[in-house]
Amino acid sequence: MVAVTSNEHEFIFEILRSHKFWAFENKIRVPKDKIIRAYQSNAEFTFWIGWKMPGTQLPWVITAGTYIKKRKRNFWDVCNKKNAIIVELKDSYYNKLIIEVENPKVVMNELDRK
């Protein structure tokens, strides 16, 4: 689970509780102008999500960490895909953040509003 907060210039994606351990990450900071869009889609949830670099994948339990697929680096932290959103980024370390949040609609609106 990820909590999303913001300040004047950036969004802060804070990985919560034990997910920090599974995802090998604490926080991801993204300047507001680097966010293309935020949306929900089942298309990302395929059998092959990429090479773990590092990451954790326990089928039907958790997918967390950095994964590389088609030469693009994505960050995952998802247990319940119904609450997962995809945040597309430009010119950033990660191409996409696929994260589970408490309230997807509110977070997507906040990210798209910038």
Side-chain angles (χ1 to χ4, degrees), residues 63-88:
T63 301
T66 301
Y67 290 79
I68 296 177
K69 183 176 184 179
K70 296 181 182 175
R71 297 184 184 177
K72 294 186 178 180
R73 185 180 297 117
N74 300 315
F75 177 81
W76 284 74
D77 186 10
V78 177
C79 286
N80 178 358
K81 67 181 181 179
K82 286 192 288 186
N83 288 340
I85 65 170
I86 298 149
V87 183
E88 258 184 71

Side-chain angles (χ1 to χ4, degrees), residues 29-43:
R29 295 176 178 272
V30 179
K32 289 184 175 183
D33 64 341
K34 300 290 183 183
I35 293 181
I36 298 171
R37 67 184 180 132
Y39 61 97
Q40 286 187 301
S41 171
N42 285 330

Side-chain angles (χ1 to χ4, degrees), residues 42-56:
N42 285 330
E44 294 292 333
F45 296 92
T46 60
F47 177 75
W48 174 248
I49 63 166
W51 297 100
K52 289 182 259 192
M53 303 297 280
T56 303

Side-chain angles (χ1 to χ4, degrees), residues 1 6 10 17 38 55 60 63 86 100 102 106 113:
M1 180 81 67
S6 67
E10 66 185 358
R17 300 179 294 277
W60 303 285
T63 301
I86 298 149
E100 180 183 349
E102 190 170 335
V106 169
R113 211 177 42 229

